[in-house]
Amino acid sequence: MTVRQTANLMYPAMRIANGEMLEVNQQFLFETDNAIRVLEEKTQARLSSQERSMLRLLIDAHDKWQGLISAYRLYLINRLGSLHEDVLPTQINDIDILFNRVSDNTRELSRLARRHNLDLEVVVATEQMHLLSGQWYGGFKEVLRINTGNWRGDIPLMTDKIHPLFVQLYQRLDQLDDALKQSADVDLAKQTQIGGTIMQSLWGVALFVFCVAIVSLIVLEYNFIRPIASVARSLKDEAQGKLVEQLPDVQTTEIRDLTDAFREMRQQVHSRQMALEHIAMHDSLTSLPNRILLMDRLNQAINNARKRQRTLALVMLDLDRFKEINDTLGHQTGDALLQQVGARLREVLRDSDTVARLGGDEFAVLLTSINETNAMRIAGTILEALEKVYEVYEHSLYVGVSLGVAIFPQHGETAEILLQHADVAMYVAKRSNNGITLYDTRRDQHSVSQLSVLSDLREAVENQEFYLEYQPELSMSTGAIIGVEALLRWRHPVHGIVMPDDFISTAEQTGLIKRISQWVLDKAIQDCVRLHTLGHKISLSVNLSVWDIQETSLANAIRNKLEQYAFPADYLMLEITERVMMAEPERARQVLKELDKMGIKIVIDDFGTGFSSLVYLKNLPVNMLKVDKSFVMDMFKDESNATIVHSIVELAHNLGLQVIAEGVENDQTWIWLKKWHCDIAQGYYISHPLTLSDLEHYLISSVKERLLGKSVT
């Protein structure tokens, strides 16, 4: 457990990947961006042909390096997670090819920089890029050497310790089996000898008393010979593992003692065998079936469902924030919490369903003879049961749950594929905070359709297939439109309109999110400047990703945008989630402080769904909290959601912050929020997301309605 809980021990290559290679990667990008910045600071008229060539080469080097890092990250995922080991040689070859291209590029950059006497800063940067790429490739080769035969830290433990213990156990069982056979043979020989002696005596007596002999023979047959033969056969069958027939019920004391001794021996052997099988097939903490037993039952269920042409469902679930509870309150509390989770799962499911613990805080549920609708309903019942408060050692604990559902046969026809797809759906639910997610090939990062999204996404950036919609934000005190949130949309040439949830994660993984974010910021500011010139002085909200906030040059880039379009900084609001803050808290704090000094407002998006958001409120320059729409939309379905929203509003006001409630879809929600003095509302009750032209008409009509006294009150 110590090895598996320590990343550097479990995966020896992680020290190099997260240490030296990560630092080299960051330095390479820094040098590349620095050289590009130096050349871009010159106007196009002042750039010489050599400098323009250098700029193109630098941008090309930046893109090739990003492709190299993406290929390397895919290799690490497959290598460390054992996902697709058969493609590892191909991925290593791809990395070698990409590195050679980067190396050729940086070598050419270094040659041109020295040859044409460019700026010293550019020359130094190109030489550093060539040197750093070589250092990175050396680290990659070291990762390959470490991974060869020793890529997981628990393999020596399994080979040297666990496996020998199982070998010793089986040897002891074989010894016990041999001893039982020898004992049975001795008993059989003794009983056979006794039977022969008795038979000889009876034959002697039969010569004198024929009738007595006949009676004695019958008595002997039924009271000795048959029971002894039955016991002998039973001993042989038991030794060979066959089904033992029922032993005869006799009155003779000796034979009865013999059969009783055999029954006791058989019971003890069976008890020990069942205990060993239970240990091998069940989790020791929760007594639930483990992964081995789950896969066995899943294969059987698939075979039965295939024969009867029925469907079944596999639900994977993972506890949110369990690690924080385990680290804060101790493993004893964490173990007790897992036991309560297992008990709740057994309570809400049918006897025919299987609940298994796969390890850590990960569980699986097998639902047989069930369709998709009922599977999602039962998943909702599981979610409701597990999200209730747990009383553990005088602690009242709350943990969120993420569930992924996969249906046989449409989501997979084998146990392995069904388990993999349920796992993918679970992680989609965790990333999107949906609670429950049904497997969808389009959201599977390793599916063919998702790989096509990656290639289409690169073309979308080049072909300008993105566009923005704006959702108005309304002041609840004045009823006036005071701002809009910029929402990204992708107009795909084949699939039509694609929403951000279907491509943002892919964009983040490939690094394309930076270019997309720059385009969103540039386009949104241009559109808002146009609205200002028309007399609509409203604020603009733009979402930042975790990649954006990690850029040290983010503040300067935004400052340049504001100066370029003469857009006041106090009209710009940047929305970030807790995930963005927790990725690198110190860097996030520094970047947000720079933005705050410029007068830009900071909004914490999806507030209430994180585990430790309150910790950051006192350390970050936050101006507003945006309550997650999942709480606002379900205020009338769940009283606890209404309590959460009310508490967030009061907390924010006590801290001097404003509150935006998103997901306002009816007048009753509006009335309650206004009663609680919520500051700003956003949702379909006010307006759906609008294009720029529709937004202009909406703002004009809103002004007219306010003048006529018809605004939302």
Side-chain angles (χ1 to χ4, degrees):
M1 291 302 292
T2 301
V3 170
R4 291 189 174 185
Q5 291 175 353
T6 306
N8 288 338
L9 294 179
M10 182 66 176
Y11 304 106
M14 291 299 292
R15 175 185 60 81
I16 297 175
N18 284 340
E20 303 168 5
M21 294 181 71
L22 179 60
E23 183 177 352
V24 170
N25 173 35
Q26 294 172 341
Q27 185 64 27
F28 184 94
L29 291 175
F30 173 78
E31 295 293 347
T32 306
D33 293 340
N34 189 43
I36 292 173
R37 179 185 57 77
V38 171
L39 292 176
E40 287 182 340
E41 285 179 351
K42 298 183 178 182
T43 62
Q44 291 295 325
R46 292 178 56 195
L47 285 175
S48 64
S49 60
Q50 294 85 0
E51 289 174 328
R52 284 194 293 271
S53 178
M54 282 291 294
L55 182 58
R56 287 194 297 270
L57 285 173
L58 282 168
I59 295 174
D60 188 41
H62 183 276
D63 293 341
K64 288 179 178 178
W65 180 262
Q66 291 284 22
L68 174 61
I69 296 302
S70 297
Y72 170 65
R73 287 173 176 163
L74 287 175
Y75 165 78
L76 277 185
I77 292 172
N78 289 340
R79 175 75 278 184
L80 301 182
S82 298
L83 297 176
H84 301 283
E85 294 189 355
D86 54 333
V87 303
L88 289 178
T90 301
Q91 291 184 338
I92 293 174
N93 183 56
D94 292 344
I95 292 174
D96 289 336
I97 293 173
L98 291 172
F99 170 74
N100 290 332
R101 293 177 182 174
V102 171
S103 181
D104 293 342
N105 194 307
T106 55
R107 187 181 298 109
E108 178 65 15
L109 281 169
S110 181
R111 184 185 67 79
L112 289 177
R114 291 194 302 269
R115 179 179 178 182
H116 297 294
N117 296 322
L118 299 179
D119 292 345
L120 177 60
E121 193 171 359
V122 176
V123 174
V124 171
T126 56
E127 291 178 351
Q128 281 293 106
M129 288 166 59
H130 186 67
L131 178 62
L132 289 168
S133 65
Q135 292 177 358
W136 183 93
Y137 189 70
F140 173 67
K141 289 299 184 182
E142 182 65 23
V143 169
L144 291 182
R145 286 192 290 273
I146 291 176
N147 282 343
T148 303
N150 192 28
W151 59 276
R152 284 179 64 124
D154 59 350
I155 291 178
L157 175 65
M158 297 295 294
T159 303
D160 300 337
K161 294 187 177 181
I162 303 299
H163 180 69
L165 289 177
F166 273 102
V167 172
Q168 293 179 17
L169 177 61
Y170 287 126
Q171 289 175 349
R172 297 289 178 84
L173 289 175
D174 289 340
Q175 292 173 3
L176 176 60
D177 191 33
D178 292 340
L180 290 174
K181 288 181 180 179
Q182 293 176 4
S183 177
D185 292 339
V186 171
D187 290 342
L188 180 61
K190 290 181 178 180
Q191 295 299 332
T192 303
Q193 184 179 5
I194 294 172
T197 302
I198 294 174
M199 288 295 293
Q200 293 176 2
S201 301
L202 288 175
W203 278 112
V205 174
L207 295 175
F208 298 98
V209 189
F210 179 75
C211 293
V212 176
I214 295 299
V215 174
S216 299
L217 182 60
I218 294 174
V219 172
L220 182 64
E221 176 71 18
Y222 281 94
N223 291 286
F224 287 92
I225 302 301
R226 291 188 180 182
I228 291 174
S230 177
V231 172
R233 287 194 303 271
S234 298
L235 284 172
K236 290 181 179 180
D237 292 342
E238 186 71 25
Q240 295 174 3
K242 299 180 181 178
L243 180 64
V244 178
E245 63 183 22
Q246 186 175 0
L247 295 176
D249 187 11
V250 296
Q251 301 298 324
T252 307
T253 303
E254 292 79 3
I255 303 300
R256 187 168 57 248
D257 291 342
L258 178 62
T259 56
D260 290 344
F262 174 77
R263 288 193 182 97
E264 183 177 356
M265 177 198 70
R266 184 175 62 181
Q267 183 178 0
Q268 292 180 1
V269 171
H270 285 181
S271 298
R272 292 171 184 172
Q273 185 176 1
M274 292 296 293
L276 289 175
E277 291 179 356
H278 187 275
I279 292 173
M281 296 292 183
H282 290 77
D283 173 54
S284 59
L285 177 63
T286 61
S287 296
L288 295 175
N290 58 15
R291 184 183 293 270
I292 297 174
L293 184 54
L294 172 69
M295 294 302 291
D296 179 68
R297 293 184 179 177
L298 181 56
N299 280 311
Q300 294 181 18
I302 288 176
N303 291 333
N304 292 333
R306 187 178 288 114
K307 292 178 182 177
R308 301 179 181 179
Q309 296 184 347
R310 295 182 179 179
T311 60
L312 60 86
L314 182 65
V315 182
M316 293 285 291
L317 61 97
D318 179 84
L319 304 181
D320 301 333
R321 302 182 293 275
F322 175 76
K323 183 178 183 300
E324 288 82 351
I325 293 175
N326 216 25
D327 294 342
T328 303
L329 303 179
H331 294 287
Q332 185 178 6
T333 302
D335 290 346
L337 177 60
L338 292 175
Q339 290 173 340
Q340 290 193 26
V341 170
R344 291 190 184 184
L345 287 172
R346 285 193 293 263
E347 288 176 359
V348 300
L349 296 173
R350 303 170 298 181
D351 293 337
S352 59
D353 300 327
T354 297
V355 182
R357 181 188 176 212
L358 305 185
D361 60 339
E362 193 173 49
F363 294 81
V365 176
L366 172 60
L367 305 173
T368 57
S369 300
I370 194 169
N371 56 30
E372 178 181 314
T373 302
N374 289 333
M376 295 300 290
R377 179 182 57 79
I378 293 177
T381 303
I382 294 174
L383 180 66
E384 182 180 357
L386 297 185
E387 285 192 336
K388 294 180 180 179
V389 176
Y390 295 83
E391 299 296 335
V392 183
Y393 296 129
E394 299 181 355
H395 297 289
S396 295
L397 304 178
Y398 169 81
V399 292
V401 185
S402 300
L403 294 91
V405 182
I407 308 297
F408 169 87
Q410 56 262 44
H411 297 154
E413 296 188 358
T414 66
E416 292 74 15
I417 294 177
L418 206 61
L419 186 67
Q420 177 185 348
H421 288 174
D423 196 54
V424 168
M426 180 187 71
Y427 281 104
V428 171
K430 183 179 289 291
R431 288 196 305 268
S432 57
N433 292 323
N434 285 341
I436 304 172
T437 297
L438 183 67
Y439 175 77
D440 187 347
T441 306
R442 295 172 299 176
R443 308 185 75 176
D444 188 347
Q445 299 175 6
H446 304 290
S447 67
V448 175
S449 62
Q450 191 67 12
L451 293 177
S452 67
V453 168
L454 176 59
S455 60
D456 293 348
L457 193 59
R458 295 184 184 277
E459 295 180 2
V461 176
E462 302 295 335
N463 299 336
Q464 298 182 355
E465 296 174 1
F466 294 112
Y467 71 98
L468 294 180
E469 290 185 342
Y470 300 93
Q471 187 167 29
E473 297 174 340
L474 190 70
S475 171
M476 301 196 71
S477 60
T478 65
I481 304 298
I482 61 173
V484 291
E485 180 182 2
L487 303 174
L488 180 63
R489 301 289 185 263
W490 178 9
R491 187 179 289 105
H492 195 283
V494 177
H495 303 295
I497 305 302
V498 182
M499 304 304 286
D501 288 345
D502 295 326
F503 65 85
I504 285 297
S505 61
T506 303
E508 289 181 340
Q509 293 173 4
T510 58
L512 291 173
I513 190 65
K514 295 181 181 179
R515 297 176 61 183
I516 295 175
S517 296
Q518 292 174 3
W519 180 87
V520 169
L521 187 64
D522 189 87
K523 177 63 175 172
I525 291 178
Q526 288 186 56
D527 291 348
C528 201
V529 168
R530 171 179 171 80
L531 295 175
H532 280 205
T533 59
L534 296 176
H536 306 296
K537 298 294 184 178
I538 60 175
S539 298
L540 171 66
S541 294
V542 179
N543 292 277
L544 294 182
S545 73
V546 63
W547 289 87
D548 298 324
I549 208 68
Q550 290 178 4
E551 282 290 333
T552 54
S553 59
L554 176 64
N556 289 331
I558 294 178
R559 182 183 292 107
N560 294 335
K561 293 289 184 186
L562 296 178
E563 293 175 354
Q564 177 182 354
Y565 297 109
F567 187 69
D570 55 351
Y571 279 95
L572 178 61
M573 297 191 297
L574 299 178
E575 298 188 11
I576 60 174
T577 62
E578 183 186 352
R579 170 173 169 262
V580 174
M581 295 186 296
M582 295 184 66
E584 289 193 36
E586 183 57 32
R587 177 176 294 182
R589 187 177 65 84
Q590 294 176 358
V591 172
L592 293 181
K593 282 190 174 181
E594 292 182 23
L595 296 173
D596 180 63
K597 290 179 182 178
M598 295 166 54
I600 297 174
K601 296 181 177 63
I602 307 300
V603 182
I604 304 299
D605 196 10
D606 298 337
F607 189 81
T609 60
F611 179 71
S612 55
S613 297
L614 298 178
V615 176
Y616 298 95
L617 291 182
K618 64 178 182 180
N619 296 325
L620 293 176
V622 177
N623 304 99
M624 297 183 184
L625 303 181
K626 177 174 280 191
V627 184
D628 186 70
K629 61 183 178 182
S630 62
F631 297 115
V632 178
M633 295 173 64
D634 292 338
M635 281 171 53
F636 304 105
K637 299 179 182 178
D638 189 345
E639 185 178 348
S640 61
N641 284 331
T643 303
I644 291 173
V645 174
H646 192 188
S647 301
I648 292 175
V649 173
E650 290 187 344
L651 170 66
H653 288 168
N654 290 335
L655 294 175
L657 307 177
Q658 288 187 307
V659 179
I660 304 175
E662 61 177 346
V664 180
E665 297 190 352
N666 52 64
D667 56 350
Q668 192 174 8
T669 303
W670 170 273
I671 294 171
W672 280 35
L673 290 172
K674 188 170 185 179
K675 177 182 177 181
W676 295 337
H677 305 292
C678 181
D679 301 290
I680 303 170
Q682 179 183 359
Y684 291 169
Y685 181 63
I686 294 132
S687 172
H688 285 69
L690 305 169
T691 62
L692 180 61
S693 59
D694 291 339
L695 177 61
E696 293 177 7
H697 294 302
Y698 179 81
L699 292 174
I700 293 173
S701 62
S702 296
V703 172
K704 292 180 179 179
E705 288 181 357
R706 291 185 63 217
L707 293 175
L708 295 174
K710 297 181 180 180
S711 61
V712 179
T713 57

